[in-house]
Amino acid sequence: MTKIAVLVSGGGTNLQALIDAQQAGKIENGQISLVVSSNPKAYALERAAKAAIPSEVLRRRDFSDAEEYGKALTALLENADIGLIVLAGFMTVLPDSFCRHFENRIINVHPSLIPSFCGEGFYGLRVHEAALAKGVKVTGATVHFVSEVVDGGAIIAQKAVEVEDSDTPETLQRRVMEQAEWKLLPRATELVCRAITEEEN
Ligand code: GAR
């Protein structure tokens, strides 16, 4: 059974989708064992507490640079024997050394169809603002492996979502979450956990 750490910074609706999937028996090859938040006020921490999942807060500003932050995070994850790291709205960019150390062991959910509206500066609501500014008629979400290139790792799963004429960034964000992210992330998590289990046997 692969131990999963979910890294969060905010509301944690994707964490909730993972917890719900776990409780529904849909993540058979993994166990959500730890939640790490870069923000002490993240509502995601309450979701973890309600589900009795241990959590830790690691603030970027408490470390001199990204490298030191990455080292502390690595120690935390290794002490907990974590086999898969899921970035679910984690807003701190991780150093290259961290991404290399956990190669093929970190996945991320991004709220667009990569390679559209991704890379540095594209996160959260900004992604949907950019999609509406461009006038795309279809957007969606992507789950991908995390590499040194921001949003550049191998794609695991994608789902398209229609844009409506009356959309605001907020309504579009909500639809992308409901129709794509909350389904895609638990499925991709189970897929990768299953691959890890098969690899180890
Ligand atoms: C989600 O839409 C996620 O895809 C996005 O932040 C939101 C977090 O929501 N992540 C990124 O933009 C990463 N580049 P949540 O805290 O409610 O899960």
PDB file of all heavy atoms in Angstrom, residues 87 92-100 103 106-108 110 114-115 118-122 142 144-155:
ATOM      1  N   LEU A  87       0.128  17.067  -5.414  1.00  0.00           N
ATOM      2  CA  LEU A  87      -0.022  18.515  -5.253  1.00  0.00           C
ATOM      3  C   LEU A  87      -1.465  18.859  -5.610  1.00  0.00           C
ATOM      4  O   LEU A  87      -1.900  18.667  -6.741  1.00  0.00           O
ATOM      5  CB  LEU A  87       0.948  19.269  -6.173  1.00  0.00           C
ATOM      6  CG  LEU A  87       2.430  18.882  -6.126  1.00  0.00           C
ATOM      7  CD1 LEU A  87       3.264  19.840  -6.968  1.00  0.00           C
ATOM      8  CD2 LEU A  87       2.953  18.850  -4.701  1.00  0.00           C
ATOM      9  N   THR A  92       3.320  26.721  -3.756  1.00  0.00           N
ATOM     10  CA  THR A  92       4.744  27.021  -3.594  1.00  0.00           C
ATOM     11  C   THR A  92       5.518  26.224  -4.646  1.00  0.00           C
ATOM     12  O   THR A  92       5.336  25.012  -4.749  1.00  0.00           O
ATOM     13  CB  THR A  92       5.197  26.610  -2.177  1.00  0.00           C
ATOM     14  OG1 THR A  92       4.413  27.342  -1.243  1.00  0.00           O
ATOM     15  CG2 THR A  92       6.661  26.905  -1.936  1.00  0.00           C
ATOM     16  N   VAL A  93       6.365  26.935  -5.405  1.00  0.00           N
ATOM     17  CA  VAL A  93       7.134  26.234  -6.440  1.00  0.00           C
ATOM     18  C   VAL A  93       8.263  25.453  -5.770  1.00  0.00           C
ATOM     19  O   VAL A  93       8.998  25.980  -4.930  1.00  0.00           O
ATOM     20  CB  VAL A  93       7.684  27.221  -7.505  1.00  0.00           C
ATOM     21  CG1 VAL A  93       8.594  26.500  -8.495  1.00  0.00           C
ATOM     22  CG2 VAL A  93       6.530  27.881  -8.256  1.00  0.00           C
ATOM     23  N   LEU A  94       8.382  24.188  -6.121  1.00  0.00           N
ATOM     24  CA  LEU A  94       9.367  23.311  -5.486  1.00  0.00           C
ATOM     25  C   LEU A  94      10.690  23.354  -6.250  1.00  0.00           C
ATOM     26  O   LEU A  94      10.695  23.455  -7.476  1.00  0.00           O
ATOM     27  CB  LEU A  94       8.809  21.880  -5.458  1.00  0.00           C
ATOM     28  CG  LEU A  94       7.573  21.754  -4.554  1.00  0.00           C
ATOM     29  CD1 LEU A  94       6.801  20.478  -4.859  1.00  0.00           C
ATOM     30  CD2 LEU A  94       7.976  21.811  -3.088  1.00  0.00           C
ATOM     31  N   PRO A  95      11.830  23.279  -5.531  1.00  0.00           N
ATOM     32  CA  PRO A  95      13.125  23.364  -6.229  1.00  0.00           C
ATOM     33  C   PRO A  95      13.383  22.139  -7.105  1.00  0.00           C
ATOM     34  O   PRO A  95      12.827  21.063  -6.864  1.00  0.00           O
ATOM     35  CB  PRO A  95      14.140  23.426  -5.079  1.00  0.00           C
ATOM     36  CG  PRO A  95      13.456  22.828  -3.903  1.00  0.00           C
ATOM     37  CD  PRO A  95      11.986  23.116  -4.073  1.00  0.00           C
ATOM     38  N   ASP A  96      14.253  22.319  -8.113  1.00  0.00           N
ATOM     39  CA  ASP A  96      14.585  21.238  -9.057  1.00  0.00           C
ATOM     40  C   ASP A  96      15.066  19.989  -8.320  1.00  0.00           C
ATOM     41  O   ASP A  96      14.719  18.866  -8.695  1.00  0.00           O
ATOM     42  CB  ASP A  96      15.699  21.692 -10.011  1.00  0.00           C
ATOM     43  CG  ASP A  96      15.202  22.744 -10.982  1.00  0.00           C
ATOM     44  OD1 ASP A  96      13.993  23.064 -10.943  1.00  0.00           O
ATOM     45  OD2 ASP A  96      16.020  23.255 -11.766  1.00  0.00           O
ATOM     46  N   SER A  97      15.881  20.201  -7.283  1.00  0.00           N
ATOM     47  CA  SER A  97      16.452  19.057  -6.551  1.00  0.00           C
ATOM     48  C   SER A  97      15.338  18.188  -5.968  1.00  0.00           C
ATOM     49  O   SER A  97      15.414  16.965  -5.991  1.00  0.00           O
ATOM     50  CB  SER A  97      17.369  19.555  -5.439  1.00  0.00           C
ATOM     51  OG  SER A  97      16.663  20.454  -4.607  1.00  0.00           O
ATOM     52  N   PHE A  98      14.283  18.825  -5.488  1.00  0.00           N
ATOM     53  CA  PHE A  98      13.153  18.091  -4.905  1.00  0.00           C
ATOM     54  C   PHE A  98      12.438  17.285  -6.002  1.00  0.00           C
ATOM     55  O   PHE A  98      12.124  16.113  -5.830  1.00  0.00           O
ATOM     56  CB  PHE A  98      12.185  19.081  -4.238  1.00  0.00           C
ATOM     57  CG  PHE A  98      11.002  18.432  -3.562  1.00  0.00           C
ATOM     58  CD1 PHE A  98      11.056  18.060  -2.227  1.00  0.00           C
ATOM     59  CD2 PHE A  98       9.827  18.189  -4.264  1.00  0.00           C
ATOM     60  CE1 PHE A  98       9.969  17.450  -1.597  1.00  0.00           C
ATOM     61  CE2 PHE A  98       8.736  17.579  -3.663  1.00  0.00           C
ATOM     62  CZ  PHE A  98       8.806  17.217  -2.314  1.00  0.00           C
ATOM     63  N   CYS A  99      12.205  17.936  -7.143  1.00  0.00           N
ATOM     64  CA  CYS A  99      11.500  17.267  -8.256  1.00  0.00           C
ATOM     65  C   CYS A  99      12.303  16.077  -8.757  1.00  0.00           C
ATOM     66  O   CYS A  99      11.734  15.034  -9.077  1.00  0.00           O
ATOM     67  CB  CYS A  99      11.248  18.251  -9.398  1.00  0.00           C
ATOM     68  SG  CYS A  99      10.220  19.643  -8.905  1.00  0.00           S
ATOM     69  N   ARG A 100      13.636  16.222  -8.804  1.00  0.00           N
ATOM     70  CA  ARG A 100      14.487  15.110  -9.260  1.00  0.00           C
ATOM     71  C   ARG A 100      14.490  13.973  -8.242  1.00  0.00           C
ATOM     72  O   ARG A 100      14.400  12.809  -8.602  1.00  0.00           O
ATOM     73  CB  ARG A 100      15.919  15.598  -9.497  1.00  0.00           C
ATOM     74  CG  ARG A 100      16.116  16.220 -10.864  1.00  0.00           C
ATOM     75  CD  ARG A 100      17.593  16.335 -11.217  1.00  0.00           C
ATOM     76  NE  ARG A 100      18.302  17.180 -10.248  1.00  0.00           N
ATOM     77  CZ  ARG A 100      18.462  18.491 -10.381  1.00  0.00           C
ATOM     78  NH1 ARG A 100      17.981  19.115 -11.430  1.00  0.00           N
ATOM     79  NH2 ARG A 100      19.100  19.190  -9.467  1.00  0.00           N
ATOM     80  N   GLU A 103      11.346  11.900  -8.569  1.00  0.00           N
ATOM     81  CA  GLU A 103      10.949  11.731  -9.970  1.00  0.00           C
ATOM     82  C   GLU A 103       9.896  10.615 -10.117  1.00  0.00           C
ATOM     83  O   GLU A 103      10.037   9.530  -9.533  1.00  0.00           O
ATOM     84  CB  GLU A 103      12.178  11.384 -10.818  1.00  0.00           C
ATOM     85  CG  GLU A 103      11.916  11.621 -12.289  1.00  0.00           C
ATOM     86  CD  GLU A 103      13.073  11.174 -13.154  1.00  0.00           C
ATOM     87  OE1 GLU A 103      14.108  10.739 -12.621  1.00  0.00           O
ATOM     88  OE2 GLU A 103      12.915  11.250 -14.379  1.00  0.00           O
ATOM     89  N   ILE A 106       5.638  12.448  -7.919  1.00  0.00           N
ATOM     90  CA  ILE A 106       4.875  13.670  -7.624  1.00  0.00           C
ATOM     91  C   ILE A 106       3.895  13.902  -8.760  1.00  0.00           C
ATOM     92  O   ILE A 106       4.295  13.932  -9.933  1.00  0.00           O
ATOM     93  CB  ILE A 106       5.757  14.941  -7.519  1.00  0.00           C
ATOM     94  CG1 ILE A 106       7.065  14.683  -6.778  1.00  0.00           C
ATOM     95  CG2 ILE A 106       4.971  16.091  -6.882  1.00  0.00           C
ATOM     96  CD1 ILE A 106       8.057  15.849  -6.882  1.00  0.00           C
ATOM     97  N   ILE A 107       2.616  14.082  -8.431  1.00  0.00           N
ATOM     98  CA  ILE A 107       1.639  14.454  -9.457  1.00  0.00           C
ATOM     99  C   ILE A 107       0.958  15.761  -9.042  1.00  0.00           C
ATOM    100  O   ILE A 107       0.919  16.112  -7.863  1.00  0.00           O
ATOM    101  CB  ILE A 107       0.603  13.334  -9.733  1.00  0.00           C
ATOM    102  CG1 ILE A 107      -0.301  13.061  -8.523  1.00  0.00           C
ATOM    103  CG2 ILE A 107       1.297  12.056 -10.162  1.00  0.00           C
ATOM    104  CD1 ILE A 107      -1.459  12.093  -8.829  1.00  0.00           C
ATOM    105  N   ASN A 108       0.432  16.466 -10.029  1.00  0.00           N
ATOM    106  CA  ASN A 108      -0.184  17.777  -9.795  1.00  0.00           C
ATOM    107  C   ASN A 108      -1.473  17.883 -10.598  1.00  0.00           C
ATOM    108  O   ASN A 108      -1.564  17.356 -11.704  1.00  0.00           O
ATOM    109  CB  ASN A 108       0.787  18.881 -10.261  1.00  0.00           C
ATOM    110  CG  ASN A 108       0.206  20.274 -10.128  1.00  0.00           C
ATOM    111  OD1 ASN A 108      -0.302  20.667  -9.083  1.00  0.00           O
ATOM    112  ND2 ASN A 108       0.267  21.051 -11.210  1.00  0.00           N
ATOM    113  N   HIS A 110      -3.810  20.591 -12.533  1.00  0.00           N
ATOM    114  CA  HIS A 110      -3.757  21.956 -13.067  1.00  0.00           C
ATOM    115  C   HIS A 110      -5.090  22.276 -13.755  1.00  0.00           C
ATOM    116  O   HIS A 110      -5.598  21.449 -14.520  1.00  0.00           O
ATOM    117  CB  HIS A 110      -2.599  22.100 -14.065  1.00  0.00           C
ATOM    118  CG  HIS A 110      -2.475  23.492 -14.584  1.00  0.00           C
ATOM    119  ND1 HIS A 110      -1.897  24.512 -13.841  1.00  0.00           N
ATOM    120  CD2 HIS A 110      -2.900  24.053 -15.734  1.00  0.00           C
ATOM    121  CE1 HIS A 110      -1.976  25.636 -14.536  1.00  0.00           C
ATOM    122  NE2 HIS A 110      -2.574  25.386 -15.686  1.00  0.00           N
ATOM    123  N   ILE A 114      -3.440  21.477 -20.428  1.00  0.00           N
ATOM    124  CA  ILE A 114      -2.025  21.720 -20.750  1.00  0.00           C
ATOM    125  C   ILE A 114      -1.766  21.251 -22.190  1.00  0.00           C
ATOM    126  O   ILE A 114      -2.245  20.186 -22.563  1.00  0.00           O
ATOM    127  CB  ILE A 114      -1.130  20.961 -19.728  1.00  0.00           C
ATOM    128  CG1 ILE A 114      -1.236  21.656 -18.347  1.00  0.00           C
ATOM    129  CG2 ILE A 114       0.322  20.883 -20.171  1.00  0.00           C
ATOM    130  CD1 ILE A 114      -0.475  20.954 -17.222  1.00  0.00           C
ATOM    131  N   PRO A 115      -1.078  21.980 -23.071  1.00  0.00           N
ATOM    132  CA  PRO A 115      -0.200  23.108 -22.798  1.00  0.00           C
ATOM    133  C   PRO A 115      -0.845  24.497 -22.852  1.00  0.00           C
ATOM    134  O   PRO A 115      -0.126  25.488 -22.963  1.00  0.00           O
ATOM    135  CB  PRO A 115       0.857  22.963 -23.889  1.00  0.00           C
ATOM    136  CG  PRO A 115       0.082  22.463 -25.057  1.00  0.00           C
ATOM    137  CD  PRO A 115      -0.956  21.537 -24.480  1.00  0.00           C
ATOM    138  N   CYS A 118      -0.674  27.477 -18.911  1.00  0.00           N
ATOM    139  CA  CYS A 118       0.090  26.823 -17.849  1.00  0.00           C
ATOM    140  C   CYS A 118       1.485  27.437 -17.779  1.00  0.00           C
ATOM    141  O   CYS A 118       1.827  28.317 -18.545  1.00  0.00           O
ATOM    142  CB  CYS A 118       0.166  25.321 -18.111  1.00  0.00           C
ATOM    143  SG  CYS A 118       1.118  24.886 -19.577  1.00  0.00           S
ATOM    144  N   GLY A 119       2.262  26.967 -16.842  1.00  0.00           N
ATOM    145  CA  GLY A 119       3.616  27.496 -16.645  1.00  0.00           C
ATOM    146  C   GLY A 119       3.602  28.577 -15.579  1.00  0.00           C
ATOM    147  O   GLY A 119       2.591  28.791 -14.905  1.00  0.00           O
ATOM    148  N   GLU A 120       4.747  29.261 -15.460  1.00  0.00           N
ATOM    149  CA  GLU A 120       4.882  30.248 -14.400  1.00  0.00           C
ATOM    150  C   GLU A 120       3.796  31.330 -14.456  1.00  0.00           C
ATOM    151  O   GLU A 120       3.473  31.820 -15.536  1.00  0.00           O
ATOM    152  CB  GLU A 120       6.262  30.902 -14.484  1.00  0.00           C
ATOM    153  CG  GLU A 120       6.875  31.064 -13.120  1.00  0.00           C
ATOM    154  CD  GLU A 120       8.382  30.857 -13.150  1.00  0.00           C
ATOM    155  OE1 GLU A 120       8.834  29.853 -13.717  1.00  0.00           O
ATOM    156  OE2 GLU A 120       9.071  31.716 -12.611  1.00  0.00           O
ATOM    157  N   GLY A 121       3.231  31.686 -13.338  1.00  0.00           N
ATOM    158  CA  GLY A 121       2.223  32.739 -13.257  1.00  0.00           C
ATOM    159  C   GLY A 121       0.801  32.253 -13.493  1.00  0.00           C
ATOM    160  O   GLY A 121      -0.151  32.981 -13.226  1.00  0.00           O
ATOM    161  N   PHE A 122       0.645  31.023 -13.985  1.00  0.00           N
ATOM    162  CA  PHE A 122      -0.705  30.483 -14.212  1.00  0.00           C
ATOM    163  C   PHE A 122      -1.089  29.551 -13.072  1.00  0.00           C
ATOM    164  O   PHE A 122      -0.673  28.389 -13.046  1.00  0.00           O
ATOM    165  CB  PHE A 122      -0.774  29.721 -15.545  1.00  0.00           C
ATOM    166  CG  PHE A 122      -0.749  30.606 -16.756  1.00  0.00           C
ATOM    167  CD1 PHE A 122       0.406  30.772 -17.482  1.00  0.00           C
ATOM    168  CD2 PHE A 122      -1.909  31.274 -17.157  1.00  0.00           C
ATOM    169  CE1 PHE A 122       0.425  31.601 -18.602  1.00  0.00           C
ATOM    170  CE2 PHE A 122      -1.896  32.092 -18.282  1.00  0.00           C
ATOM    171  CZ  PHE A 122      -0.727  32.262 -18.996  1.00  0.00           C
ATOM    172  N   THR A 142      -5.980  19.049 -16.070  1.00  0.00           N
ATOM    173  CA  THR A 142      -4.926  18.084 -16.396  1.00  0.00           C
ATOM    174  C   THR A 142      -4.295  17.577 -15.110  1.00  0.00           C
ATOM    175  O   THR A 142      -4.031  18.368 -14.205  1.00  0.00           O
ATOM    176  CB  THR A 142      -3.807  18.771 -17.238  1.00  0.00           C
ATOM    177  OG1 THR A 142      -4.385  19.336 -18.415  1.00  0.00           O
ATOM    178  CG2 THR A 142      -2.704  17.798 -17.611  1.00  0.00           C
ATOM    179  N   HIS A 144      -0.789  15.695 -14.116  1.00  0.00           N
ATOM    180  CA  HIS A 144       0.500  15.360 -14.757  1.00  0.00           C
ATOM    181  C   HIS A 144       1.568  15.089 -13.709  1.00  0.00           C
ATOM    182  O   HIS A 144       1.438  15.517 -12.559  1.00  0.00           O
ATOM    183  CB  HIS A 144       0.929  16.521 -15.662  1.00  0.00           C
ATOM    184  CG  HIS A 144       1.176  17.802 -14.919  1.00  0.00           C
ATOM    185  ND1 HIS A 144       2.415  18.176 -14.465  1.00  0.00           N
ATOM    186  CD2 HIS A 144       0.326  18.780 -14.504  1.00  0.00           C
ATOM    187  CE1 HIS A 144       2.318  19.337 -13.826  1.00  0.00           C
ATOM    188  NE2 HIS A 144       1.059  19.728 -13.827  1.00  0.00           N
ATOM    189  N   PHE A 145       2.618  14.396 -14.145  1.00  0.00           N
ATOM    190  CA  PHE A 145       3.778  14.220 -13.273  1.00  0.00           C
ATOM    191  C   PHE A 145       4.500  15.560 -13.167  1.00  0.00           C
ATOM    192  O   PHE A 145       4.496  16.353 -14.116  1.00  0.00           O
ATOM    193  CB  PHE A 145       4.726  13.154 -13.833  1.00  0.00           C
ATOM    194  CG  PHE A 145       4.240  11.750 -13.610  1.00  0.00           C
ATOM    195  CD1 PHE A 145       3.753  10.995 -14.659  1.00  0.00           C
ATOM    196  CD2 PHE A 145       4.257  11.198 -12.334  1.00  0.00           C
ATOM    197  CE1 PHE A 145       3.301   9.692 -14.449  1.00  0.00           C
ATOM    198  CE2 PHE A 145       3.810   9.898 -12.116  1.00  0.00           C
ATOM    199  CZ  PHE A 145       3.320   9.151 -13.169  1.00  0.00           C
ATOM    200  N   VAL A 146       5.115  15.772 -12.013  1.00  0.00           N
ATOM    201  CA  VAL A 146       5.834  17.025 -11.801  1.00  0.00           C
ATOM    202  C   VAL A 146       7.310  16.817 -12.126  1.00  0.00           C
ATOM    203  O   VAL A 146       7.940  15.880 -11.618  1.00  0.00           O
ATOM    204  CB  VAL A 146       5.660  17.502 -10.338  1.00  0.00           C
ATOM    205  CG1 VAL A 146       6.571  18.696 -10.035  1.00  0.00           C
ATOM    206  CG2 VAL A 146       4.202  17.865 -10.093  1.00  0.00           C
ATOM    207  N   SER A 147       7.824  17.687 -13.022  1.00  0.00           N
ATOM    208  CA  SER A 147       9.251  17.647 -13.359  1.00  0.00           C
ATOM    209  C   SER A 147       9.824  19.023 -13.039  1.00  0.00           C
ATOM    210  O   SER A 147       9.130  19.877 -12.487  1.00  0.00           O
ATOM    211  CB  SER A 147       9.423  17.317 -14.842  1.00  0.00           C
ATOM    212  OG  SER A 147       8.993  18.409 -15.619  1.00  0.00           O
ATOM    213  N   GLU A 148      11.081  19.243 -13.434  1.00  0.00           N
ATOM    214  CA  GLU A 148      11.709  20.543 -13.147  1.00  0.00           C
ATOM    215  C   GLU A 148      11.040  21.672 -13.942  1.00  0.00           C
ATOM    216  O   GLU A 148      11.151  22.824 -13.567  1.00  0.00           O
ATOM    217  CB  GLU A 148      13.201  20.506 -13.501  1.00  0.00           C
ATOM    218  CG  GLU A 148      14.023  19.685 -12.535  1.00  0.00           C
ATOM    219  CD  GLU A 148      14.642  18.486 -13.201  1.00  0.00           C
ATOM    220  OE1 GLU A 148      13.887  17.578 -13.628  1.00  0.00           O
ATOM    221  OE2 GLU A 148      15.883  18.457 -13.301  1.00  0.00           O
ATOM    222  N   VAL A 149      10.384  21.327 -15.040  1.00  0.00           N
ATOM    223  CA  VAL A 149       9.710  22.345 -15.856  1.00  0.00           C
ATOM    224  C   VAL A 149       8.294  22.557 -15.296  1.00  0.00           C
ATOM    225  O   VAL A 149       7.524  21.592 -15.191  1.00  0.00           O
ATOM    226  CB  VAL A 149       9.615  21.882 -17.333  1.00  0.00           C
ATOM    227  CG1 VAL A 149       8.942  22.940 -18.188  1.00  0.00           C
ATOM    228  CG2 VAL A 149      10.992  21.528 -17.866  1.00  0.00           C
ATOM    229  N   VAL A 150       7.951  23.801 -14.929  1.00  0.00           N
ATOM    230  CA  VAL A 150       6.640  24.068 -14.334  1.00  0.00           C
ATOM    231  C   VAL A 150       5.528  23.633 -15.298  1.00  0.00           C
ATOM    232  O   VAL A 150       5.479  24.102 -16.443  1.00  0.00           O
ATOM    233  CB  VAL A 150       6.484  25.577 -13.979  1.00  0.00           C
ATOM    234  CG1 VAL A 150       5.117  25.843 -13.345  1.00  0.00           C
ATOM    235  CG2 VAL A 150       7.582  26.023 -13.030  1.00  0.00           C
ATOM    236  N   ASP A 151       4.677  22.741 -14.823  1.00  0.00           N
ATOM    237  CA  ASP A 151       3.556  22.187 -15.592  1.00  0.00           C
ATOM    238  C   ASP A 151       4.019  21.446 -16.854  1.00  0.00           C
ATOM    239  O   ASP A 151       3.257  21.277 -17.808  1.00  0.00           O
ATOM    240  CB  ASP A 151       2.530  23.272 -15.991  1.00  0.00           C
ATOM    241  CG  ASP A 151       1.864  23.887 -14.767  1.00  0.00           C
ATOM    242  OD1 ASP A 151       1.682  23.180 -13.766  1.00  0.00           O
ATOM    243  OD2 ASP A 151       1.527  25.086 -14.825  1.00  0.00           O
ATOM    244  N   GLY A 152       5.286  20.981 -16.854  1.00  0.00           N
ATOM    245  CA  GLY A 152       5.860  20.390 -18.069  1.00  0.00           C
ATOM    246  C   GLY A 152       6.010  18.875 -18.047  1.00  0.00           C
ATOM    247  O   GLY A 152       6.416  18.288 -19.047  1.00  0.00           O
ATOM    248  N   GLY A 153       5.702  18.230 -16.938  1.00  0.00           N
ATOM    249  CA  GLY A 153       5.890  16.772 -16.834  1.00  0.00           C
ATOM    250  C   GLY A 153       4.856  15.990 -17.625  1.00  0.00           C
ATOM    251  O   GLY A 153       3.864  16.545 -18.119  1.00  0.00           O
ATOM    252  N   ALA A 154       5.089  14.689 -17.752  1.00  0.00           N
ATOM    253  CA  ALA A 154       4.215  13.821 -18.562  1.00  0.00           C
ATOM    254  C   ALA A 154       2.762  13.891 -18.091  1.00  0.00           C
ATOM    255  O   ALA A 154       2.480  13.874 -16.881  1.00  0.00           O
ATOM    256  CB  ALA A 154       4.710  12.381 -18.489  1.00  0.00           C
ATOM    257  N   ILE A 155       1.865  13.959 -19.065  1.00  0.00           N
ATOM    258  CA  ILE A 155       0.432  14.064 -18.767  1.00  0.00           C
ATOM    259  C   ILE A 155      -0.130  12.678 -18.447  1.00  0.00           C
ATOM    260  O   ILE A 155       0.113  11.712 -19.167  1.00  0.00           O
ATOM    261  CB  ILE A 155      -0.299  14.706 -19.967  1.00  0.00           C
ATOM    262  CG1 ILE A 155       0.096  16.200 -20.064  1.00  0.00           C
ATOM    263  CG2 ILE A 155      -1.823  14.557 -19.827  1.00  0.00           C
ATOM    264  CD1 ILE A 155      -0.367  16.888 -21.327  1.00  0.00           C
TER     265      ILE A 155
END
